[in-house]
Each structure stands twice: as C-alpha cells, then as structure tokens.
Amino acid sequence: MAIGRVLQQEIQEAVEALRAGELVAFPTETVYGLGANANNPDAVRKIFRVKGRPSTHPVIVHIDHPRYLQRWVREMTPEAKKLADAFWPGPLTLVAKRAPAVNDVITGGQDTVAIRVPNHPVAQQLLNAFGGGIAAPSANKYGHVSPTRAEHVRDEFGDDVKWVLDGGDCKVGLESTIISCLADGPRVLRPGSISFSQLKAVVPTIQMGPNPSAPRVPGSTSRHYSPATPVNVVPSRRLETVMNEFTANHEKVAVLAQRPPGTANPFMTWINAGIRPDIYARNLYANLRTLDKASAKIILVEEVPEGEKWDAVRDRLRRSASAENIVTYDQDIAAWVADFGEEGGPPG
Ligand code: TXA
Ligand code: MG
C-alpha cells in the first residue's frame, strides 16, 4: 500500500486517484477520513462497500473553503452562517438544505447535506489541489473505533485502501461537532470538541440533541465506536471491585482509567489516561485499540466526570458500550445503592 508522506507529488497522485474514482484516506484534525470524489456516485458507493456501511447512512462533504458552499447547500440560515464564521476551518460539521445537484448517495436520499471545512494542513492541501468536494466518513469499518493515526487506517482496511496520506496523530481525536441548522433551529446532533457554551456564545438559541419529533437520521442512533472486546462503563469507586470479579476467575481485564490502579493484579492491563479532557479525547481511540489487543474478557472504562468538557467523550463511551453492558452498569448502580446507599463507599 502506498503511504503518502504528503509531499506535493503525493498530493498530486492522491488527486489523480480521486479523479479516477479511487478512495483516498486522509488526516483531519478530528479523525482520518475515507474520501471519494463527492461528485462521482460510483466512487462514493465504494466507500460504503469498503466500510460495510448501510447505504442509507449519509456522509459528510468536505471542502477547503466556504466559497464553495453554494455548490452543495441551497440555504444557509443566519445561525449556520454565524457558526461557519466562528468555527471554520475546524472541527465543525453543519447540516443544511442541500443544493439540487447533490447526489442521493451522499445524503441518504434526504433533503439535507452535511458539510465540513477541516483545518488540518494535509486535508487543506488535498482539498485545495482537488478543487472539489470530498465525501468522507471516518476511515474505519462500520461501527468500529475511528482512526486517529495512518496505521489505524491500515489496520482497518489493509490493501482495500491503496492511498493513505499520513499526517501524523490527529490533534482532536474525536469526530466533529455536528449541528443541524434547519427550520427547527440550530441543534447539536453529535457533541465534539467545541463545548456547548462556546456554541451558545455564538448562537444563543442552540439546543442540545436532535429534534425529538424529527425523523432520525440513519447512523445517529446505532452502536458505534466499538472495539471487538465488550466495553463496560463503571463508576470510579467500583472499578477495582468489578475488575476483581473477573480476575478472581483468572479472566483478563483491560481498564481505561484516569488514575493509576489501587492494587497490582497480574490479570489486568491498565491505562491511566489522565484527567485532562482534551488529552483524554486525543488518545481515546488509540487507547481503546491498544486495550482491544490485550485479549481481555472485557474493557472496563472508569466513568468520566460530569460537566460539558466531557460531553463528547461521554457520548462516545456510551455508544462504544454494548446494550447489555449498559444494562449491567445500571444493575451495578442499583446493587451498589442497595449495598451502601447513595453516598456510600466501598468497605475497608
Ligand atoms: O470529524 C468528522 O466528522 C469525521 C471526519 C473524517 O470529517 N467524519 C465522520 O464521518 O465522523 P462519519 O460518517 O463517521 O459520521 C458522520 C455522521 C453520521 O452519523 C451521519 O449520520 C451524520 O454525520 N450525517 C451525515 N449527513 C447528515 C445529514 N444530512 N443529516 C444528519 N446527519 C448527517
Ligand atoms: Mg464514523
């Protein structure tokens, strides 16, 4: 597989590949994207095939500058314009009414389109040289953990994706904030690194979460961002107890925590991801990939703190946990409250 080192020559080859209807994986500041010429429906269909993604899930169109917006969007609300001015280029995706020429394969047949102007220099270089829109979901198999390094893309797709431009580690590490700007007002569909307060400062009417009466967009509800090993989110004070339940039976446990372990245990793999939300987010997917390789029975994730700085991380962790494990987690809480009361601590 050719790995672009992002000399101008390699950008040029990637552009030629895109023009020929091939896929090119490229870095953005959030995660790596798997790109195709957004004006070529057959090329975009390849993305769905390679990812194993259902064809009804819409994809984001990336452009290098808002000057190309009118090719894709027929109407930007005043709120959309303000958000674009404030956060583009950057880790923000806007959903707006689509322009007539935008293909159904991009929008999943809806009347809206998602647009992003990334600020990663390699993404900018590529988009600029290509001169058009690049449709790109995150460069991972459907439902799996998003890639934040070129090697993650290679791990996902091997020889199925010939072009991978290597722009190093993604700085943000979580997917962009998605905001729909339609008749029902601005709404955060997916939290990202831009906090709700930062958004509210620009657009005071913004609301968290999709409109409950609007139809759900495919891809916005399903289990996502998941390693192969089951993930369970556990309150900090229960972490060692839950871990010991597994390791007592000599079952391996992988732990993503924000502190060092309280006890040594030969059956655990423990990552201390620290207490800074930006650094935790940047490393989250690489950490989950590392823990997924520990051949553990389960990945236990220490529940992250309350507060909006952790919104995006909390959202991804919730989705990476399987449905059964969320139930287990609720049962843990119920058992805990029954044993120790709301504020109780572990014995001894
Ligand atoms: O940071 C990111 O956003 C990365 C980089 C590569 O740009 N891309 C990314 O794409 O995360 P993807 O396909 O993995 O997630 C895009 C999400 C999906 O959940 C999809 O349902 C939603 O955006 N989406 C796309 N078009 C939409 C639309 N017209 N209306 C509502 N949601 C939409
Ligand atoms: Mg994705």
Side-chain angles (χ1 to χ4, degrees):
M1 174 173 22
I3 303 296
R5 269 172 304 128
V6 203
L7 304 168
Q8 196 52 37
Q9 165 75 18
E10 285 157 304
I11 292 284
Q12 211 42 53
E13 284 168 7
V15 164
E16 276 157 30
L18 287 170
R19 292 201 177 124
E22 302 289 324
L23 303 185
V24 172
F26 63 99
T28 81
E29 67 275 28
T30 58
V31 300
Y32 276 73
L34 183 58
N37 178 356
N39 271 325
N40 178 343
D42 286 335
V44 178
R45 272 184 213 106
K46 279 188 193 164
I47 298 177
F48 289 85
R49 261 204 311 280
V50 167
K51 271 187 71 106
R53 172 164 164 145
S55 61
T56 51
H57 288 216
V59 289
I60 299 171
V61 175
H62 299 71
I63 53 177
D64 70 347
H65 194 278
R67 66 176 170 260
Y68 296 124
L69 266 180
Q70 72 280 5
R71 294 186 188 174
W72 305 97
V73 169
R74 74 169 182 275
E75 186 192 335
M76 287 281 278
T77 61
E79 290 90 353
K81 285 186 190 137
K82 282 189 194 157
L83 290 165
D85 281 348
F87 300 111
W88 275 350
L92 173 76
T93 297
L94 292 174
V95 173
K97 292 278 181 195
R98 73 166 172 188
V102 182
N103 198 280
D104 277 347
V105 70
I106 301 269
T107 66
Q110 303 178 87
D111 192 35
T112 58
V113 66
I115 298 277
R116 180 168 170 226
V117 180
N119 70 19
H120 193 292
V122 175
Q124 277 286 332
Q125 238 182 316
L126 178 70
L127 287 162
N128 202 274
F130 181 60
I134 299 182
S138 51
N140 52 275
K141 295 274 186 184
Y142 177 62
H144 196 217
V145 179
S146 295
T148 54
R149 286 179 194 153
E151 72 179 75
H152 297 162
V153 181
R154 272 173 265 147
D155 287 349
E156 292 284 327
F157 299 116
D159 291 338
D160 286 351
V161 176
K162 195 168 154 224
W163 292 100
V164 182
L165 297 175
D166 188 344
D169 289 9
C170 299
K171 290 245 154 43
V172 174
L174 295 182
E175 304 79 359
S176 60
T177 305
I178 303 182
I179 300 178
S180 83
C181 291
L182 301 169
D184 56 358
R187 290 176 165 275
V188 180
L189 302 185
R190 180 173 72 184
S193 63
I194 306 171
S195 73
F196 194 58
S197 317
Q198 285 175 299
L199 297 168
K200 250 185 128 72
V202 176
V203 173
T205 55
I206 196 162
Q207 289 182 276
M208 190 51 123
N211 181 349
S213 59
R216 290 235 168 227
V217 176
S220 60
T221 51
S222 43
R223 183 178 169 201
H224 251 84
Y225 318 111
S226 298
T229 315
V231 172
N232 198 339
V233 180
V234 179
S236 182
R237 57 191 178 181
R238 290 273 285 151
L239 198 51
E240 273 84 358
T241 312
V242 176
M243 180 177 76
N244 291 338
E245 281 165 16
F246 286 92
T247 59
N249 302 322
H250 292 189
E251 285 170 335
K252 284 192 194 162
V253 174
V255 181
L256 182 61
Q258 298 187 260
R259 55 176 171 81
T263 52
N265 188 321
F267 296 101
M268 78 182 177
T269 303
W270 184 291
I271 292 179
N272 174 8
I275 57 168
R276 276 191 49 180
D278 53 342
I279 294 175
Y280 187 107
R282 184 181 305 158
N283 297 326
L284 175 63
Y285 291 142
N287 284 339
L288 287 176
R289 282 172 187 272
T290 301
L291 294 175
D292 205 15
K293 288 182 183 153
S295 25
K297 179 93 177 170
I298 193 162
I299 298 173
L300 300 179
V301 179
E302 179 182 1
E303 194 174 38
V304 296
E306 294 292 310
E308 65 165 22
K309 287 192 171 148
W310 291 92
D311 279 353
V313 165
R314 202 178 305 106
D315 171 77
R316 303 311 188 274
L317 290 175
R318 185 167 51 77
R319 289 171 200 267
S320 72
S322 68
E324 315 91 82
N325 289 322
I326 290 171
V327 175
T328 311
Y329 162 70
D330 288 342
Q331 288 165 345
D332 273 355
I333 298 270
W336 176 263
V337 171
D339 286 353
F340 305 111
E342 287 288 349
E343 295 305 319

